[in-house]
Amino acid sequence: MVDNQGMRTPTGMDDRGLESRRAPRVVLADDDVLLREGLASLLERSGFDVVGQAGDGGELLTLVRSAKPEVAIIDIRMPPGQATEGLEAARVIREELPGVAIIVLSAHVEVDEAMDLLAGGERLGYLLKSRVTDVAEFIETVERITAGASVVDPSLVRELVRARRRRDPLDALSPREREVLALMAEGASNAGIAHRIFVSEGTVEKHVRSILTKLDLPESESDHRRVLAVLRFLETR
Amino acid sequence: MIVGPTLVTLAALPFRVSLGLGGVLFCMLLVVVAVAVIGGACPAPAAVVLGLLAGTFFFARPYESLDVDLQSDLVSLVAFAIVGPATGILIGKLARLAEEQASSGRVEAALRRVATLVARASPAEELFAAVTEEVGRLVAADFARLARYEPGDAVTFVAAWSKTGEYFPVGSRWSLEGENNIGVLVLRTGRPARIDDFAGISGPLAADARERGIRSAAGAPIIVEGRIWGVMFAGSNLKRPLPPDTEARLASVTDLLETAIANADSRAGLTRLAEEQAALRRVATLVARGAPPEEVFAAVTEEARQLLPVDFAGMGRYGADGTVLTLTGWDQAGPLFPSTRLVLGGNNVTTMVARTSRPARLDNYAGASGAAGELAREAGFRSSIGTPILVEGRLWGLLIGGSIDHPLPLDTEERLASFTELVAMAVANAEGRAGITRLAQEQAALRRVATLVARGAPAEEVFGAVTEEAGQLLQADQTTMNRYESDDTATIVAGWSKVGDALPVGARPRLGGENLLTIISQTRRPARIANAANATGAAIAVIRPTGLRSGVGTPIIVQDRLWGVMIANSTDEQPLAADTEARLASFTELVATAIANAESRSALDASRARIVAASDEARRRIERDLHDGAQQRLVSLGLTLRAAQTAVPSKLGELGGELANVAEGLTHVVDELRELASGIHPAILAKGGLGSALRTLARRSTVPVELDVQAQAKLPEQVEVAAYYVVSEALTNAAKHAQASVVQVEVAAVDGALRLGVRDDGVGGADATRGSGLVGLKDRVEALGGTITLQSPPGAGTTLRVELPLDG
């Protein structure tokens, strides 16, 4: 796999696995206390150590600087402007503490925001807020991100892949290859893809090479770079 | 008479013895007969007495004594004394009778000749000349002249004769004022008159007569139709006065002449009348045909010259600036000093007519002065007359007639006047036509402006057009339009200048002082300033440097509110025409309408924009509430459910499954809610801008979209929202109705506007009036002052073009 941490990280929820090591420390930022508390209890239950909660960007930064968590889960829309304060805070955290994994939650996802966020490097996630209710998948995603992956919300990828083009390079791909491409864009590793579509990792690798050749994309050193490259391709094809 | 007997006595003395008394007396008797023949009956008895005495004294013995030998000579003496007188008287009477018969024969011959001339209807001049000569010969005069009385105590000589052929100016006119000559006497008494000695007679005629050696004269009146027409003169150089029967003889001829004149007058009158009527008819035809005034003028002057006893005829037009412009002038050789500009003043006919608006005459150009006077004198005029041309009661010009050698007859003014009436009619016609043309031009100008107004052209365009149209129509040199501001200033919003000078549009002079801007701001009524030199204040300072002299201004009143003013200025010395205010007002009324329209339109636009903005704001609020409220709460609920699910004991697995179902259902509801919210308001606009939002639209479109966005990152929010909805609606339509294979979307911000084009290659035939989508877009776009056009010919795709201003 791309990343040594990723190798050790279980892909599914595994209580024993989590118990075997120190619980990841999480900071939450959302101005909606109810939702924040719900999320906190969910994470606590799932083996995360919620070390702090913030109601806005400023509080978040103070908290992150003092608590130095492994993960920061941030609502994009917070006081004072109820706009993209979460993104701003994420940028500052990435600058000051590059080791902190950041997951930005948003009521709706936008390609530009995703690209903007992911340009900051690895261990970044950009998800619809409603994803948190699918607890298992959400926890798994948080873990993958903490482990070093970059994740983009599937709905955004779906929109990008589905977009119609007059001379669409995607027309060259087989349905299976499209499926693989979408998962690549979501930030899944080859292993993750193999797990999702029930094939061997080798088969996935073959699909990936074929896709990269057909779409004239370079081989990427990391899943993160692969996500960026695929997203950029899908956006500008 | 005494000489006769004396001579006979002396001649007979040597023969007194041989002849005897009888023979001598016989000779004496012959002498008496001779005396009677020459001297008439009266001197004959005297000659008899002398003869008797001379016979007795010289020829009867004893000689040299009055004693006579009664026996031998008594018979002879008695016989002589009886026969002598009888014979003398008889012979004398016979001789007188013969002479009288001869004389009356001459008179009759003369009268016959005159009568023949009269009967032949000879031309008046010929008749007068012939009669005058006859008169001269008849009365054995040295001079004979015929003169006609003129009104105003003057005579004009119509014929002259002299025994020696000496020249006398026929046609010359002599004043009778202060005279006591024959002309005056005859005129005063209506009877023949005579002057036997000119020594004591005063006046130029008498002086002239003296110079010519006339010593006595007689005159007889010529009475035509009960009024004294003229006088026939006869004059003699002899010391002896004219014979006493001269007047009677004159009268005998003048009787005939009277008839002839009466006939000739009426005939000449008829001829003249006919000629005049013909000339007038020719001119009138020209006038009626609407010939150009110049042609009428030329015809009138030429006709007048030919018809009237003038050597020159001309026409002048008075200018308002104290000059007279001579349009045409004719003499025998053709046009004479055409279009000469003369300054009025001095002693001349043009100036007199200008002063009085009445006919004027100048018979002696020796005393003429002024430019017109000098011109006439240079041309050699002796006399001239002028009659005014009055057009609708106003002095327009004059007709002039001039004579080189004689004063013009007194009725010339009257005859010239009949032409001036025609000229006045021609001028009035021409001016009427010019008035109609002017009216048509005015209507056309107003219509052009009205079209602009009706079309809803921008106010600036209307203002510009109005100032130009009004300026040209009113023959102003400059027009400006000002808008009154609330701070006692008035902005120049438009201007036009005849010579194309740039006007200080946008300048904002302060009110105050004596100027049209200020006056009209106070009175709200039209005003004029006759002399810009007297004007003061900032408003006039803005325009004075361009040399303006007078101005007229009319208020622009929009819905009972004084909005502004329109001013026409002139650099001419003459003020603008009196109807300028009224004509300007017809423009300002249009301007007021345009402004009222523009104001209500902009009020409508503003209201529409407010409605759109309010609706957008409501949508944004709903979208936000959905996101931050309902959606957030649903997510929270989902989390709670998931927590509850984990708390469910495994033996109640069914309940756990139910809860899981509910949680998943909630997730779907959240997704649907998200889609719904983004449909209500594109929140992405606020975050990523128009480009980002359009790319999202393009991705979600079921028809492939080729998107080209050339716009800066952030545009005015309303513009972005409008553009977003335009593209969204167009893409929806393309997908739903157009059966298009591709849609091209181009967005570019250029020249202060966002231009947007959406073109598909579908079936076309879209109708903007059907389907509320496009109508809604139109409202939205127009609320922002933008334009939207749809082209959708069947079978050739659909193109939607929108332009949205970025400054508004």
Side-chain angles (χ1 to χ4, degrees), chain A residues 32 35 45 77 107-108 110-113 128-129 133 159-160 163-164 166 235, chain B residues 627-628 632 635-636 642-643 667 670 674 684 687 692 695 699-700 702 706 742:
Chain A
D32 187 333
L35 194 138
R45 267 187 280 122
R77 206 141 106 170
H108 42 76
E110 305 290 351
V111 176
D112 291 342
E113 279 179 1
L128 276 176
K129 196 177 252 180
T133 56
E159 185 183 304
L160 284 169
R164 305 272 318 267
R166 200 137 75 120
E235 161 73 355
Chain B
H627 275 157
D628 296 347
Q632 194 94 337
V635 172
S636 293
R642 290 298 184 187
T667 307
V670 169
R674 189 176 64 243
I684 185 171
K687 292 203 282 189
S692 186
R695 278 193 295 279
R699 275 197 303 276
R700 292 175 183 170
T702 53
E706 289 179 356
V742 67

mmCIF file of all heavy atoms in Angstrom, chain A residues 32 35 45 77 107-108 110-113 128-129 133 159-160 163-164 166 235, chain B residues 627-628 632 635-636 642-643 667 670 674 684 687 692 695 699-700 702 706 742:
data_model
loop_
_atom_site.group_PDB
_atom_site.id
_atom_site.type_symbol
_atom_site.label_atom_id
_atom_site.label_comp_id
_atom_site.label_asym_id
_atom_site.label_seq_id
_atom_site.Cartn_x
_atom_site.Cartn_y
_atom_site.Cartn_z
ATOM 1 N N ASP A 32 -23.459 23.909 16.032
ATOM 2 C CA ASP A 32 -24.687 23.242 16.466
ATOM 3 C C ASP A 32 -24.329 22.268 17.593
ATOM 4 O O ASP A 32 -23.759 21.194 17.353
ATOM 5 C CB ASP A 32 -25.299 22.489 15.282
ATOM 6 C CG ASP A 32 -26.664 21.903 15.618
ATOM 7 O OD1 ASP A 32 -26.910 21.612 16.813
ATOM 8 O OD2 ASP A 32 -27.468 21.729 14.690
ATOM 9 N N LEU A 35 -25.734 18.591 17.483
ATOM 10 C CA LEU A 35 -25.081 17.731 16.511
ATOM 11 C C LEU A 35 -23.666 17.400 16.976
ATOM 12 O O LEU A 35 -23.188 16.268 16.839
ATOM 13 C CB LEU A 35 -25.071 18.425 15.152
ATOM 14 C CG LEU A 35 -24.725 17.513 13.970
ATOM 15 C CD1 LEU A 35 -25.636 17.825 12.783
ATOM 16 C CD2 LEU A 35 -23.277 17.677 13.542
ATOM 17 N N ARG A 45 -17.875 6.401 21.374
ATOM 18 C CA ARG A 45 -18.308 5.023 21.337
ATOM 19 C C ARG A 45 -17.457 4.206 20.379
ATOM 20 O O ARG A 45 -17.248 3.025 20.555
ATOM 21 C CB ARG A 45 -19.773 4.946 20.906
ATOM 22 C CG ARG A 45 -20.755 4.939 22.075
ATOM 23 C CD ARG A 45 -22.161 4.686 21.548
ATOM 24 N NE ARG A 45 -22.732 5.905 21.004
ATOM 25 C CZ ARG A 45 -23.170 6.048 19.772
ATOM 26 N NH1 ARG A 45 -23.132 5.054 18.939
ATOM 27 N NH2 ARG A 45 -23.660 7.196 19.360
ATOM 28 N N ARG A 77 -19.289 25.477 7.939
ATOM 29 C CA ARG A 77 -20.069 26.698 8.137
ATOM 30 C C ARG A 77 -20.180 26.958 9.635
ATOM 31 O O ARG A 77 -20.797 26.199 10.357
ATOM 32 C CB ARG A 77 -21.453 26.501 7.544
ATOM 33 C CG ARG A 77 -22.102 27.771 7.135
ATOM 34 C CD ARG A 77 -22.838 27.570 5.842
ATOM 35 N NE ARG A 77 -24.289 27.522 6.050
ATOM 36 C CZ ARG A 77 -25.164 27.544 5.058
ATOM 37 N NH1 ARG A 77 -24.754 27.602 3.800
ATOM 38 N NH2 ARG A 77 -26.451 27.508 5.298
ATOM 39 N N ALA A 107 -22.710 20.926 4.464
ATOM 40 C CA ALA A 107 -24.096 20.592 4.127
ATOM 41 C C ALA A 107 -24.201 20.217 2.665
ATOM 42 O O ALA A 107 -25.081 19.456 2.273
ATOM 43 C CB ALA A 107 -25.013 21.768 4.438
ATOM 44 N N HIS A 108 -23.336 20.821 1.837
ATOM 45 C CA HIS A 108 -23.262 20.372 0.438
ATOM 46 C C HIS A 108 -21.814 20.468 -0.018
ATOM 47 O O HIS A 108 -21.058 21.312 0.456
ATOM 48 C CB HIS A 108 -24.194 21.168 -0.468
ATOM 49 C CG HIS A 108 -24.189 22.629 -0.191
ATOM 50 N ND1 HIS A 108 -23.185 23.452 -0.582
ATOM 51 C CD2 HIS A 108 -25.090 23.390 0.485
ATOM 52 C CE1 HIS A 108 -23.468 24.670 -0.189
ATOM 53 N NE2 HIS A 108 -24.598 24.671 0.476
ATOM 54 N N GLU A 110 -18.731 20.876 -2.883
ATOM 55 C CA GLU A 110 -18.422 21.559 -4.131
ATOM 56 C C GLU A 110 -17.026 21.156 -4.584
ATOM 57 O O GLU A 110 -16.119 21.020 -3.760
ATOM 58 C CB GLU A 110 -18.431 23.082 -3.921
ATOM 59 C CG GLU A 110 -19.711 23.643 -3.325
ATOM 60 C CD GLU A 110 -20.884 23.585 -4.282
ATOM 61 O OE1 GLU A 110 -20.660 23.256 -5.471
ATOM 62 O OE2 GLU A 110 -22.016 23.843 -3.846
ATOM 63 N N VAL A 111 -16.885 20.959 -5.891
ATOM 64 C CA VAL A 111 -15.599 20.536 -6.451
ATOM 65 C C VAL A 111 -14.493 21.518 -6.072
ATOM 66 O O VAL A 111 -13.415 21.121 -5.631
ATOM 67 C CB VAL A 111 -15.688 20.427 -7.978
ATOM 68 C CG1 VAL A 111 -14.335 20.078 -8.556
ATOM 69 C CG2 VAL A 111 -16.704 19.390 -8.362
ATOM 70 N N ASP A 112 -14.783 22.825 -6.239
ATOM 71 C CA ASP A 112 -13.748 23.829 -5.998
ATOM 72 C C ASP A 112 -13.239 23.751 -4.563
ATOM 73 O O ASP A 112 -12.048 23.849 -4.314
ATOM 74 C CB ASP A 112 -14.297 25.228 -6.300
ATOM 75 C CG ASP A 112 -14.534 25.400 -7.787
ATOM 76 O OD1 ASP A 112 -13.972 24.603 -8.559
ATOM 77 O OD2 ASP A 112 -15.285 26.330 -8.162
ATOM 78 N N GLU A 113 -14.193 23.584 -3.643
ATOM 79 C CA GLU A 113 -13.802 23.497 -2.239
ATOM 80 C C GLU A 113 -12.954 22.257 -1.990
ATOM 81 O O GLU A 113 -11.953 22.294 -1.264
ATOM 82 C CB GLU A 113 -15.045 23.463 -1.353
ATOM 83 C CG GLU A 113 -15.633 24.850 -1.123
ATOM 84 C CD GLU A 113 -16.897 24.817 -0.263
ATOM 85 O OE1 GLU A 113 -17.296 23.719 0.168
ATOM 86 O OE2 GLU A 113 -17.468 25.889 -0.051
ATOM 87 N N LEU A 128 -19.921 15.148 3.057
ATOM 88 C CA LEU A 128 -21.231 15.673 3.399
ATOM 89 C C LEU A 128 -21.487 15.390 4.871
ATOM 90 O O LEU A 128 -21.128 14.328 5.382
ATOM 91 C CB LEU A 128 -22.312 14.974 2.565
ATOM 92 C CG LEU A 128 -22.577 15.533 1.173
ATOM 93 C CD1 LEU A 128 -23.600 14.639 0.473
ATOM 94 C CD2 LEU A 128 -23.087 16.962 1.248
ATOM 95 N N LYS A 129 -22.144 16.338 5.477
ATOM 96 C CA LYS A 129 -22.377 16.199 6.915
ATOM 97 C C LYS A 129 -23.248 14.982 7.212
ATOM 98 O O LYS A 129 -23.079 14.285 8.220
ATOM 99 C CB LYS A 129 -23.046 17.468 7.441
ATOM 100 C CG LYS A 129 -22.982 17.590 8.938
ATOM 101 C CD LYS A 129 -23.594 18.897 9.375
ATOM 102 C CE LYS A 129 -22.543 19.857 9.852
ATOM 103 N NZ LYS A 129 -23.122 21.139 10.295
ATOM 104 N N THR A 133 -24.241 9.985 9.801
ATOM 105 C CA THR A 133 -25.293 9.077 10.290
ATOM 106 C C THR A 133 -25.051 7.634 9.838
ATOM 107 O O THR A 133 -25.618 6.713 10.406
ATOM 108 C CB THR A 133 -26.681 9.528 9.815
ATOM 109 O OG1 THR A 133 -26.668 9.622 8.396
ATOM 110 C CG2 THR A 133 -27.060 10.878 10.399
ATOM 111 N N GLU A 159 -21.035 12.919 -9.123
ATOM 112 C CA GLU A 159 -21.443 14.037 -9.995
ATOM 113 C C GLU A 159 -20.391 14.281 -11.074
ATOM 114 O O GLU A 159 -20.721 14.496 -12.236
ATOM 115 C CB GLU A 159 -21.634 15.294 -9.131
ATOM 116 C CG GLU A 159 -22.183 16.479 -9.915
ATOM 117 C CD GLU A 159 -22.291 17.722 -9.042
ATOM 118 O OE1 GLU A 159 -22.961 17.659 -7.995
ATOM 119 O OE2 GLU A 159 -21.678 18.740 -9.415
ATOM 120 N N LEU A 160 -19.138 14.223 -10.659
ATOM 121 C CA LEU A 160 -18.061 14.485 -11.621
ATOM 122 C C LEU A 160 -18.015 13.415 -12.696
ATOM 123 O O LEU A 160 -17.849 13.706 -13.874
ATOM 124 C CB LEU A 160 -16.706 14.535 -10.894
ATOM 125 C CG LEU A 160 -16.408 15.808 -10.107
ATOM 126 C CD1 LEU A 160 -15.178 15.612 -9.236
ATOM 127 C CD2 LEU A 160 -16.215 16.986 -11.055
ATOM 128 N N ALA A 163 -21.057 13.602 -15.129
ATOM 129 C CA ALA A 163 -21.211 14.787 -15.984
ATOM 130 C C ALA A 163 -21.002 14.414 -17.442
ATOM 131 O O ALA A 163 -20.063 13.711 -17.777
ATOM 132 C CB ALA A 163 -20.204 15.859 -15.568
ATOM 133 N N ARG A 164 -21.917 14.917 -18.302
ATOM 134 C CA ARG A 164 -21.852 14.540 -19.715
ATOM 135 C C ARG A 164 -20.907 15.459 -20.459
ATOM 136 O O ARG A 164 -20.886 16.667 -20.264
ATOM 137 C CB ARG A 164 -23.257 14.642 -20.333
ATOM 138 C CG ARG A 164 -24.329 13.832 -19.615
ATOM 139 C CD ARG A 164 -24.412 12.417 -20.148
ATOM 140 N NE ARG A 164 -24.322 12.360 -21.601
ATOM 141 C CZ ARG A 164 -25.390 12.360 -22.404
ATOM 142 N NH1 ARG A 164 -26.595 12.438 -21.895
ATOM 143 N NH2 ARG A 164 -25.235 12.267 -23.700
ATOM 144 N N ARG A 166 -19.231 16.157 -24.517
ATOM 145 C CA ARG A 166 -19.517 15.823 -25.915
ATOM 146 C C ARG A 166 -18.544 14.752 -26.422
ATOM 147 O O ARG A 166 -18.946 13.748 -26.975
ATOM 148 C CB ARG A 166 -19.420 17.059 -26.775
ATOM 149 C CG ARG A 166 -20.140 16.908 -28.079
ATOM 150 C CD ARG A 166 -20.907 18.123 -28.400
ATOM 151 N NE ARG A 166 -19.982 19.158 -28.834
ATOM 152 C CZ ARG A 166 -20.069 19.720 -30.047
ATOM 153 N NH1 ARG A 166 -20.987 19.323 -30.880
ATOM 154 N NH2 ARG A 166 -19.255 20.664 -30.384
ATOM 155 N N GLU A 235 -12.730 17.039 -13.401
ATOM 156 C CA GLU A 235 -13.281 18.395 -13.417
ATOM 157 C C GLU A 235 -13.038 19.081 -14.756
ATOM 158 O O GLU A 235 -13.890 19.806 -15.247
ATOM 159 C CB GLU A 235 -12.650 19.200 -12.258
ATOM 160 C CG GLU A 235 -12.749 20.722 -12.377
ATOM 161 C CD GLU A 235 -14.155 21.219 -12.123
ATOM 162 O OE1 GLU A 235 -15.060 20.381 -11.946
ATOM 163 O OE2 GLU A 235 -14.352 22.443 -12.112
ATOM 164 N N HIS B 627 -30.608 24.362 5.590
ATOM 165 C CA HIS B 627 -29.297 23.805 5.906
ATOM 166 C C HIS B 627 -29.014 23.824 7.400
ATOM 167 O O HIS B 627 -28.694 22.810 7.995
ATOM 168 C CB HIS B 627 -28.195 24.578 5.179
ATOM 169 C CG HIS B 627 -27.994 24.078 3.793
ATOM 170 N ND1 HIS B 627 -27.421 24.845 2.803
ATOM 171 C CD2 HIS B 627 -28.281 22.891 3.221
ATOM 172 C CE1 HIS B 627 -27.365 24.159 1.706
ATOM 173 N NE2 HIS B 627 -27.896 22.955 1.923
ATOM 174 N N ASP B 628 -29.135 25.027 7.946
ATOM 175 C CA ASP B 628 -28.711 25.195 9.336
ATOM 176 C C ASP B 628 -29.753 24.693 10.313
ATOM 177 O O ASP B 628 -29.439 24.376 11.459
ATOM 178 C CB ASP B 628 -28.418 26.672 9.631
ATOM 179 C CG ASP B 628 -27.265 27.161 8.795
ATOM 180 O OD1 ASP B 628 -26.571 26.306 8.214
ATOM 181 O OD2 ASP B 628 -27.071 28.393 8.714
ATOM 182 N N GLN B 632 -29.682 20.127 9.611
ATOM 183 C CA GLN B 632 -28.800 19.934 10.762
ATOM 184 C C GLN B 632 -29.509 19.097 11.849
ATOM 185 O O GLN B 632 -28.943 18.167 12.399
ATOM 186 C CB GLN B 632 -28.449 21.324 11.313
ATOM 187 C CG GLN B 632 -27.297 21.322 12.266
ATOM 188 C CD GLN B 632 -26.010 21.632 11.519
ATOM 189 O OE1 GLN B 632 -25.920 21.431 10.299
ATOM 190 N NE2 GLN B 632 -25.006 22.078 12.238
ATOM 191 N N VAL B 635 -29.799 15.545 10.864
ATOM 192 C CA VAL B 635 -28.532 14.838 11.047
ATOM 193 C C VAL B 635 -28.352 14.484 12.519
ATOM 194 O O VAL B 635 -27.969 13.354 12.871
ATOM 195 C CB VAL B 635 -27.351 15.696 10.527
ATOM 196 C CG1 VAL B 635 -26.022 15.033 10.891
ATOM 197 C CG2 VAL B 635 -27.457 15.858 9.020
ATOM 198 N N SER B 636 -28.671 15.453 13.381
ATOM 199 C CA SER B 636 -28.587 15.203 14.828
ATOM 200 C C SER B 636 -29.479 14.033 15.227
ATOM 201 O O SER B 636 -29.064 13.141 15.979
ATOM 202 C CB SER B 636 -29.028 16.439 15.609
ATOM 203 O OG SER B 636 -28.121 17.460 15.422
ATOM 204 N N ARG B 642 -28.735 6.457 15.789
ATOM 205 C CA ARG B 642 -27.629 5.501 15.727
ATOM 206 C C ARG B 642 -27.177 5.141 17.143
ATOM 207 O O ARG B 642 -26.878 3.980 17.451
ATOM 208 C CB ARG B 642 -26.455 6.092 14.961
ATOM 209 C CG ARG B 642 -26.703 6.241 13.463
ATOM 210 C CD ARG B 642 -26.960 4.910 12.787
ATOM 211 N NE ARG B 642 -27.087 5.091 11.341
ATOM 212 C CZ ARG B 642 -27.441 4.122 10.500
ATOM 213 N NH1 ARG B 642 -27.743 2.914 10.984
ATOM 214 N NH2 ARG B 642 -27.523 4.344 9.221
ATOM 215 N N ALA B 643 -27.134 6.150 18.019
ATOM 216 C CA ALA B 643 -26.734 5.887 19.406
ATOM 217 C C ALA B 643 -27.745 4.951 20.060
ATOM 218 O O ALA B 643 -27.371 3.980 20.746
ATOM 219 C CB ALA B 643 -26.648 7.213 20.173
ATOM 220 N N THR B 667 -31.346 9.736 6.447
ATOM 221 C CA THR B 667 -30.230 10.128 5.575
ATOM 222 C C THR B 667 -30.750 10.501 4.188
ATOM 223 O O THR B 667 -30.356 11.504 3.592
ATOM 224 C CB THR B 667 -29.214 8.976 5.466
ATOM 225 O OG1 THR B 667 -28.851 8.587 6.777
ATOM 226 C CG2 THR B 667 -27.984 9.412 4.692
ATOM 227 N N VAL B 670 -32.385 13.806 4.315
ATOM 228 C CA VAL B 670 -31.376 14.869 4.331
ATOM 229 C C VAL B 670 -30.852 15.127 2.915
ATOM 230 O O VAL B 670 -30.706 16.271 2.488
ATOM 231 C CB VAL B 670 -30.223 14.492 5.297
ATOM 232 C CG1 VAL B 670 -29.061 15.459 5.119
ATOM 233 C CG2 VAL B 670 -30.709 14.506 6.724
ATOM 234 N N ARG B 674 -31.245 18.480 0.793
ATOM 235 C CA ARG B 674 -30.083 19.196 0.262
ATOM 236 C C ARG B 674 -30.339 19.589 -1.194
ATOM 237 O O ARG B 674 -30.106 20.710 -1.618
ATOM 238 C CB ARG B 674 -28.846 18.304 0.369
ATOM 239 C CG ARG B 674 -27.570 19.064 0.031
ATOM 240 C CD ARG B 674 -26.345 18.218 0.235
ATOM 241 N NE ARG B 674 -26.339 17.077 -0.692
ATOM 242 C CZ ARG B 674 -26.375 15.808 -0.312
ATOM 243 N NH1 ARG B 674 -26.423 15.503 0.954
ATOM 244 N NH2 ARG B 674 -26.375 14.846 -1.219
ATOM 245 N N ILE B 684 -23.794 27.956 -3.676
ATOM 246 C CA ILE B 684 -22.429 27.899 -4.211
ATOM 247 C C ILE B 684 -21.971 29.250 -4.759
ATOM 248 O O ILE B 684 -20.794 29.569 -4.776
ATOM 249 C CB ILE B 684 -22.348 26.814 -5.311
ATOM 250 C CG1 ILE B 684 -20.910 26.666 -5.789
ATOM 251 C CG2 ILE B 684 -23.281 27.129 -6.455
ATOM 252 C CD1 ILE B 684 -20.704 25.499 -6.698
ATOM 253 N N LYS B 687 -20.194 31.122 -2.311
ATOM 254 C CA LYS B 687 -18.910 30.528 -1.941
ATOM 255 C C LYS B 687 -17.908 30.581 -3.095
ATOM 256 O O LYS B 687 -16.835 31.138 -2.976
ATOM 257 C CB LYS B 687 -19.124 29.076 -1.513
ATOM 258 C CG LYS B 687 -19.888 28.968 -0.211
ATOM 259 C CD LYS B 687 -19.630 27.661 0.486
ATOM 260 C CE LYS B 687 -20.451 26.572 -0.178
ATOM 261 N NZ LYS B 687 -20.378 25.315 0.611
ATOM 262 N N SER B 692 -17.753 28.854 -10.692
ATOM 263 C CA SER B 692 -17.907 27.606 -9.956
ATOM 264 C C SER B 692 -19.351 27.117 -10.045
ATOM 265 O O SER B 692 -19.605 25.928 -10.302
ATOM 266 C CB SER B 692 -17.518 27.873 -8.506
ATOM 267 O OG SER B 692 -17.513 26.693 -7.789
ATOM 268 N N ARG B 695 -20.142 25.846 -13.539
ATOM 269 C CA ARG B 695 -19.533 24.535 -13.794
ATOM 270 C C ARG B 695 -20.377 23.428 -13.152
ATOM 271 O O ARG B 695 -20.581 22.372 -13.733
ATOM 272 C CB ARG B 695 -18.099 24.512 -13.253
ATOM 273 C CG ARG B 695 -17.100 25.144 -14.227
ATOM 274 C CD ARG B 695 -15.661 24.836 -13.852
ATOM 275 N NE ARG B 695 -15.258 25.414 -12.573
ATOM 276 C CZ ARG B 695 -14.883 26.682 -12.424
ATOM 277 N NH1 ARG B 695 -14.872 27.495 -13.466
ATOM 278 N NH2 ARG B 695 -14.527 27.132 -11.248
ATOM 279 N N ARG B 699 -22.103 20.379 -15.071
ATOM 280 C CA ARG B 699 -21.888 18.975 -14.721
ATOM 281 C C ARG B 699 -23.206 18.245 -14.549
ATOM 282 O O ARG B 699 -23.355 17.095 -14.905
ATOM 283 C CB ARG B 699 -21.099 18.882 -13.415
ATOM 284 C CG ARG B 699 -19.596 18.960 -13.605
ATOM 285 C CD ARG B 699 -18.893 18.466 -12.370
ATOM 286 N NE ARG B 699 -19.255 19.165 -11.165
ATOM 287 C CZ ARG B 699 -18.699 20.318 -10.773
ATOM 288 N NH1 ARG B 699 -17.754 20.881 -11.501
ATOM 289 N NH2 ARG B 699 -19.076 20.906 -9.674
ATOM 290 N N ARG B 700 -24.147 18.954 -13.969
ATOM 291 C CA ARG B 700 -25.415 18.299 -13.660
ATOM 292 C C ARG B 700 -26.354 18.241 -14.854
ATOM 293 O O ARG B 700 -27.390 17.589 -14.796
ATOM 294 C CB ARG B 700 -26.101 19.015 -12.493
ATOM 295 C CG ARG B 700 -25.333 18.813 -11.198
ATOM 296 C CD ARG B 700 -25.913 19.590 -10.063
ATOM 297 N NE ARG B 700 -25.101 19.405 -8.863
ATOM 298 C CZ ARG B 700 -25.257 20.116 -7.763
ATOM 299 N NH1 ARG B 700 -26.188 21.052 -7.697
ATOM 300 N NH2 ARG B 700 -24.493 19.900 -6.721
ATOM 301 N N THR B 702 -28.050 17.254 -18.296
ATOM 302 C CA THR B 702 -28.118 15.976 -18.986
ATOM 303 C C THR B 702 -27.650 16.116 -20.427
ATOM 304 O O THR B 702 -27.378 15.111 -21.079
ATOM 305 C CB THR B 702 -29.557 15.432 -18.970
ATOM 306 O OG1 THR B 702 -30.422 16.445 -19.478
ATOM 307 C CG2 THR B 702 -29.978 15.066 -17.567
ATOM 308 N N GLU B 706 -20.640 22.921 -23.214
ATOM 309 C CA GLU B 706 -19.305 23.497 -23.399
ATOM 310 C C GLU B 706 -19.344 24.882 -22.796
ATOM 311 O O GLU B 706 -20.037 25.774 -23.283
ATOM 312 C CB GLU B 706 -18.954 23.546 -24.890
ATOM 313 C CG GLU B 706 -18.694 22.157 -25.425
ATOM 314 C CD GLU B 706 -18.362 22.137 -26.906
ATOM 315 O OE1 GLU B 706 -18.400 23.205 -27.541
ATOM 316 O OE2 GLU B 706 -18.074 21.035 -27.415
ATOM 317 N N VAL B 742 -25.575 19.249 -27.826
ATOM 318 C CA VAL B 742 -24.603 20.033 -27.067
ATOM 319 C C VAL B 742 -25.159 21.424 -26.832
ATOM 320 O O VAL B 742 -25.944 21.940 -27.635
ATOM 321 C CB VAL B 742 -23.245 20.095 -27.811
ATOM 322 C CG1 VAL B 742 -23.358 20.884 -29.105
ATOM 323 C CG2 VAL B 742 -22.164 20.687 -26.917
#
